[in-house]
Amino acid sequence: MAPHSAIQAIIDLSAGAIGGAACVFSGQPLDTAKVKMQTFPTLYRSFIHCLMSTYKQVGIRGLYQGTTPALMANIAENSVLFMSYGFCQQVIRFMAGLHSEAVLSDTQKACAGSVASIFSSLVLCPTELVKCRLQAMYEMEATGKVAKSQNTVWSVVKSIVRNEGPLGFFQGLTTTIAREVPGYFCFFGAYELSRTAFADYMKCDKDDIGVAPIVFSGGCGGACLWLVVFPMDCVKSRIQVMSMAGKQAGFFKTFMTIARTEGVRALYSGLTPTMVRTFPANGALFLGYEASRKLMMKHFDH
């Protein structure tokens, strides 16, 4: 017996939150390197150089800079994402005239994930803004773009409210949505396709493929997401970090400026740490999500 839709939503929300936390702990230092390299592409030779200099400057704490907002961002984003993903799958079943238990195709699931990402962007944008600013604070101070400031979550939040008002938290929202919608189509699409391939190969049900195939499928989903959206993510990081120093141009203008003045390669600054991070981080995300969801669903299968 399937659980009531409200309980189903709570299960998806909790499983998404557990997955989100697993994702942050396994990938935070590489995420810090990504944001630093996107915002200051000329400062670091490679992501190893970036990690080493961060470690030398601020110690291990520097690599986990922004972990609190990253945890908040990821838990909030993934709980809303997976809850909306459940709802959007029902909407697609309804629109396709299928009954509520029908199994969706991989493409239909990819569409559901794509629509779900619009809802998660609204939660993600403010927390990610705080995270990016914290991660790039050392470089912003070193290059004289902002005065020495308290680099704690609370001080960043206070300065946004004081200087930019409540709407300041949504700097880069358009870019976030522009990144998430195509990105999550690829993310869920590649994840489901990869799981289907494993299930066919192992001649078993998609839910029974085991730990390693789930982690690999999650990594594939993450890799496809980042390859598609990386330039947009780079623009978003720039807007969110540089807006500390004053009014920042919008998405299109920032995109064109980076491409014109620094070349297209700058839009891919920080891609290596992202690709290295995506397998453990997204593998952990889906493993946390699938395992905890299975566990919670068991209670309703009697």
Side-chain angles (χ1 to χ4, degrees), residues 42-235:
T42 50
L43 272 187
Y44 302 106
R45 287 190 303 277
S46 66
F47 86 94
I48 302 287
H49 176 224
C50 178
L51 287 172
M52 295 308 285
S53 13
T54 303
Y55 181 68
K56 276 202 201 85
Q57 292 151 1
V58 221
I60 196 83
R61 212 188 73 238
L63 296 173
Y64 279 92
Q65 198 67 351
T67 299
T68 314
L71 264 177
M72 286 160 57
N74 253 292
I75 289 175
E77 179 195 19
N78 286 301
S79 48
V80 172
L81 177 72
F82 283 105
M83 185 175 79
S84 312
Y85 182 47
F87 281 137
C88 293
Q89 285 185 347
Q90 288 298 12
V91 172
I92 284 178
R93 283 189 186 101
F94 175 75
M95 284 164 68
L98 302 166
H99 64 88
S100 64
E101 298 293 305
V103 176
L104 293 178
S105 73
D106 294 343
T107 314
Q108 288 171 321
K109 284 187 172 174
C111 293
S114 185
V115 177
S117 71
I118 298 172
F119 300 103
S120 61
S121 298
L122 297 171
V123 190
L124 175 70
C125 188
T127 40
E128 207 170 46
L129 174 80
V130 176
K131 173 188 76 77
C132 287
R133 289 191 177 185
L134 272 172
Q135 287 173 318
M137 190 65 85
Y138 180 90
E139 287 78 1
M140 286 296 278
E141 289 169 359
T143 50
K145 288 191 164 53
V146 292
K148 203 97 182 110
S149 57
Q150 296 309 112
N151 49 1
T152 62
V153 174
W154 184 230
S155 65
V156 172
V157 168
K158 275 200 308 210
S159 88
I160 295 171
V161 172
R162 194 173 56 243
N163 302 327
E164 301 160 52
L167 282 179
F169 285 105
F170 291 94
Q171 288 265 15
L173 178 64
T174 330
T175 323
T176 305
I177 293 176
R179 178 192 75 173
E180 303 284 271
V181 171
Y184 276 97
F185 179 84
C186 300
F187 184 63
F188 282 106
Y191 172 66
E192 294 295 347
L193 279 170
S194 181
R195 271 179 52 194
T196 303
F198 274 114
D200 290 348
Y201 177 72
M202 295 157 77
K203 310 225 179 329
C204 67
D205 193 53
K206 261 169 100 166
D207 292 336
D208 303 323
I209 55 175
V211 172
I214 285 180
V215 171
F216 183 80
S217 302
C220 272
C224 289
L225 167 102
W226 284 113
L227 281 171
V228 169
V229 306
F230 204 82
M232 287 175 282
D233 184 67
C234 180
V235 174

Side-chain angles (χ1 to χ4, degrees), residues 235-247:
V235 174
K236 179 200 67 70
S237 290
R238 281 288 176 102
I239 291 174
Q240 291 185 324
V241 172
M242 296 305 184
S243 52
M244 273 198 277
K247 188 95 181 83

